[in-house]
Amino acid sequence: MSKSPVKIVFLGGLGEIGRNCFCLEVEDRILIVDCGIMFPEADMPGVDLVLPDFTYLRENADRIEGVFLTHAHEDHAGGLAFLLRDVSFPIYGSPLSLGLARNRIVEAGMLGRTEMIPVHDGERRMIGPFDCEFIPVTHSVPHAFATAYHTPAGTILHSGDFKLDLTPVDGRKTDLALIGEIAKRSGGIKLLLSDSTNAEKPGFTPSETTVGVSMRNVFRDFPDRRFIVACFSSHLHRVQQVTEEALAAGRKIAFLGRSMIQNVALAREMGFLDLASDRVIDIDEVSRYAPGEVCVICTGSQGEPMSALSLMAAHEHKYIKVSEEDVVVISAHAIPGNESNVSRVIDALHRAGAEVIHDRIAPVHVSGHASQEELKFLLDLVQPDWFVPVHGEYRHLVHHARLAEAVGVRSDHVLVCEDGDVLTIDDTGIEVERRAVPAGYQYVDGIVGDIGLGVLRDRRNLAEEGFVAVIVTVDAVTGELVTGPEIVTRGWVYAPEAEELLEEAKAAVRESLHEAADEGAIDFETLRRHARRSLGKFINERTRRRPAIIPVVIEV
Ligand SMILES: [Zn+2]
Ligand SMILES: [Zn+2]
């Protein structure tokens, strides 16, 4: 028996939607399970994406055995290209997950720093000291896994993202029989970690195949109009269903958006998408067909400003302009943080005259995550000794914890954990150490360089209050004003319309600098301070605003 305890270190996904990442530790080795990003919220100006804090992984790089990828969604795989900059490791996952995750890693030039090792449904294999068993689950991307880790401290079951779809598009169901068998075989599940995304939603999540039926109806309702359907490019079952219904309605298909084209090519190559080549046309050929003869399947369901859908809605797309001849179907739901972008695009599409169909109008989208009855079903099937809800905002975790207690998990064995918490698991039970490792948000802007909290705070202030710069030239010997003050502002007042106010502000600064010079304060720092204070006071008294004030003193 190994002396080092089994541990779980939560680096992300417990307290937010996204950044899913935890470490499982056995015999002092680390298996990283998922490494996702989070989309920025509205109060994160200029931030492209948010990563987990990799400090713990950098500091323990020599102990890392590899990464296991439950599925290829960005909130589980999007951070890999960034982590590979710091650490080199192999990535395990289903062939499709690896194929989908690969593009971003290639684009980042990091493919040479990893090896991709496929694992298969129902397979049990050792990854270093980790005895892993891969269980098929249904989700909004094909070939996702739940995983059983058979450790010296007992079996840990991680649901991954899942739902219990009894009629999935590809017939590959969540393998409940295998989960039940593992629970029996291994003498019970010591710990269950389960997806909490929909823990507030009562009932069952409808099957993905219901979307195919809705799409059929929508195509039937508008036989003479052109269709533009936006969905996630990784949701290959959705793409497949839209494709099949469009073909059945006698239409040709054009794919649009870089990741859509890449993923469809991958899916056709791997045999996931059966599509005769003569039914697919290029996007620049669409205009040659009557509206009722085509269907465009595109990206942009999250309202991303530069995506195909946004450009089409704004009449800025090279080949396609949305008009009253179009029916636009948004076959997705906005991820937290993207709501306002999505609603802006829906508005623009209406303005362009299109018929817009989204999930509040017709059932053209279903979630990929289990609702309450499914979550209870899994909890009841597994009957875990301990339970930790994962993947969700804090309120989702709390609701999931309540479900566990409702189906009979002991309340002192239900642990609501957060990012940075560490579990130590042994024969006697589970200890939690709160906030034991750094797990804060790492903000990424551009392709390199994480920006810190300080930069973000500055940006928020600038966004809310703007800035005012005051520039003066002073005599280095006497401290007397030579030129200026000049005032430059963005976001305080609109300068061309506020000349009088700006003149008064200059006068206030000029007066304060004269006073300072009279008192013999001629050093650079004192003058800067005087300029800042007098201007700040003036702005506050006259406008009750607090822009950032940047004094620039030049000595001659
Ligand atoms: Zn997912
Ligand atoms: Zn997820």
Side-chain angles (χ1 to χ4, degrees):
M1 272 289 282
S2 141
K3 284 198 192 78
S4 55
V6 173
K7 282 188 179 186
I8 289 178
V9 179
F10 293 113
L11 293 181
L14 284 76
E16 69 263 321
I17 299 286
R19 290 202 321 150
N20 293 294
C21 184
F22 71 83
C23 303
L24 177 63
E25 303 195 13
V26 171
E27 290 174 17
D28 270 333
R29 302 294 294 167
I30 295 174
L31 181 68
I32 303 166
V33 179
D34 292 337
C35 182
I37 58 157
M38 184 174 99
F39 293 101
E41 309 264 354
D43 65 348
M44 301 174 188
V47 174
D48 296 335
L49 53 92
V50 185
L51 290 173
D53 189 326
F54 293 145
T55 305
Y56 181 78
L57 299 175
R58 275 194 296 268
E59 285 173 357
N60 295 282
D62 55 329
R63 298 202 285 126
I64 295 173
E65 195 69 46
V67 170
F68 172 67
L69 193 56
T70 59
H71 65 291
H73 277 154
E74 294 282 39
D75 60 324
H76 296 255
L80 288 168
F82 294 89
L83 182 58
L84 281 167
R85 291 198 307 224
D86 296 342
V87 194
S88 170
F89 48 78
I91 303 170
Y92 299 81
S94 70
L96 179 66
S97 297
L98 296 178
L100 291 170
R102 196 185 147 94
N103 286 333
R104 208 184 240 270
I105 294 172
V106 171
E107 279 160 21
M110 291 292 149
L111 197 61
R113 293 177 58 79
T114 186
E115 184 191 354
M116 296 199 163
I117 302 167
V119 301
H120 301 278
D121 288 1
E123 180 183 350
R124 182 169 178 172
R125 76 179 283 165
M126 299 298 293
I127 299 175
F130 302 92
D131 182 354
C132 313
E133 198 166 351
F134 309 109
I135 306 156
V137 291
T138 46
H139 184 41
S140 41
V141 58
H143 289 214
F145 283 131
T147 318
Y149 301 98
H150 305 283
T151 80
T155 296
I156 298 165
L157 184 72
H158 175 222
S159 72
D161 282 0
F162 82 105
K163 69 193 265 190
L164 302 182
D165 191 337
L166 300 178
T167 53
V169 172
D170 59 359
R172 177 185 176 274
K173 296 179 201 174
T174 298
D175 197 337
L176 295 168
L178 179 57
I179 293 172
E181 191 227 305
I182 290 170
K184 280 252 157 55
R185 184 203 327 138
S186 52
I189 299 294
K190 175 79 165 210
L191 168 66
L192 172 66
L193 309 168
S194 180
D195 176 13
S196 310
T197 308
N198 277 351
E200 287 178 320
K201 270 202 195 143
F204 292 88
T205 302
S207 169
E208 177 61 26
T209 45
T210 62
V211 174
V213 178
S214 310
M215 286 307 306
R216 190 176 316 152
N217 294 333
V218 180
F219 280 120
R220 201 171 285 157
D221 289 347
F222 300 95
D224 301 323
R225 309 218 358 215
R226 185 170 66 180
F227 268 75
I228 297 169
V229 183
C231 66
F232 274 108
S233 62
S234 61
H235 202 334
L236 294 169
H237 287 151
R238 186 68 52 85
V239 173
Q240 181 183 338
Q241 291 196 98
V242 174
T243 302
E244 280 170 4
E245 296 305 334
L247 293 180
R251 293 168 185 264
K252 303 249 182 202
I253 314 275
F255 293 104
L256 180 58
R258 198 166 57 119
S259 65
M260 184 64 77
I261 290 167
Q262 275 177 347
N263 290 351
V264 165
L266 177 76
R268 291 175 80 178
E269 195 183 296
M270 293 181 79
F272 289 110
L273 195 59
D274 187 18
L275 188 54
S277 297
D278 64 335
R279 304 303 298 274
V280 182
I281 57 173
D282 281 340
I283 198 68
D284 56 350
E285 297 176 289
V286 168
S287 57
R288 287 192 225 148
Y289 291 83
E293 293 174 346
V294 281
C295 174
V296 176
I297 301 179
C298 67
T299 54
S301 64
Q302 297 300 300
E304 305 91 321
M306 294 314 291
S307 68
L309 187 63
S310 293
L311 294 177
M312 286 188 276
H315 285 199
E316 281 166 13
H317 195 272
K318 194 170 170 197
Y319 298 111
I320 303 215
K321 287 176 182 44
V322 173
S323 72
E324 48 296 323
E325 292 190 322
D326 290 305
V327 176
V328 179
V329 181
I330 298 180
S331 183
H333 194 73
I335 290 172
N338 297 343
E339 294 94 342
S340 66
N341 278 348
V342 172
S343 100
R344 202 172 301 137
V345 170
I346 291 178
D347 226 52
L349 291 166
H350 279 94
R351 218 176 279 280
E355 184 74 36
V356 186
I357 299 172
H358 51 83
D359 64 346
R360 265 174 288 169
I361 289 176
V364 290
H365 170 72
V366 296
S367 172
H369 298 272
S371 300
Q372 288 181 346
E373 296 306 313
E374 294 154 89
L375 296 174
K376 288 195 278 185
F377 191 102
L378 183 70
L379 278 155
D380 192 51
L381 175 68
V382 169
Q383 305 252 339
D385 187 3
W386 295 76
F387 175 62
V388 176
V390 296
H391 306 175
E393 290 169 16
Y394 196 78
R395 62 173 206 273
H396 302 132
L397 307 180
V398 169
H399 279 269
H400 203 178
R402 286 183 195 156
L403 296 178
E405 288 173 34
V407 301
V409 181
R410 275 176 56 176
S411 63
D412 59 337
H413 283 202
V414 175
L415 306 172
V416 175
C417 294
E418 290 187 81
D419 298 339
D421 289 0
V422 175
L423 305 182
T424 303
I425 308 159
D426 61 24
D427 295 339
T428 58
I430 297 182
E431 292 282 335
V432 194
E433 206 184 328
R434 300 284 177 186
R435 301 284 165 156
V437 301
Y441 288 178
Q442 298 297 303
Y443 305 97
V444 177
D445 178 10
I447 45 169
V448 285
D450 311 333
I451 64 169
L453 252 189
V455 172
L456 200 63
R457 205 180 303 125
D458 283 352
R459 286 185 183 180
R460 279 184 199 140
N461 284 345
L462 289 173
E464 280 168 20
E465 301 283 354
F467 78 86
V468 184
V470 53
I471 303 133
V472 292
T473 313
V474 295
D475 186 310
V477 180
T478 63
E480 282 299 331
L481 218 50
V482 179
T483 60
E486 281 307 314
I487 289 184
V488 178
T489 176
R490 293 288 183 277
W492 169 44
V493 291
Y494 186 55
E497 290 167 6
E499 261 175 59
E500 225 171 282
L501 191 68
L502 291 175
E503 283 311 317
E504 286 178 53
K506 287 178 193 172
V509 175
R510 200 177 298 126
E511 193 185 332
S512 126
L513 291 177
H514 279 313
E515 274 171 28
D518 287 349
E519 287 163 18
I522 56 165
D523 67 291
F524 181 78
E525 256 317 305
T526 310
L527 293 175
R528 270 172 53 95
R529 205 166 54 239
H530 272 266
R532 183 203 302 268
R533 199 177 296 156
S534 56
L535 186 56
K537 188 159 168 270
F538 175 83
I539 290 171
N540 186 32
E541 278 171 2
R542 291 297 302 275
T543 63
R544 290 278 176 268
R545 292 182 192 164
R546 294 182 177 283
I549 294 172
I550 303 159
V552 180
V553 176
I554 302 159
E555 291 181 329
V556 289

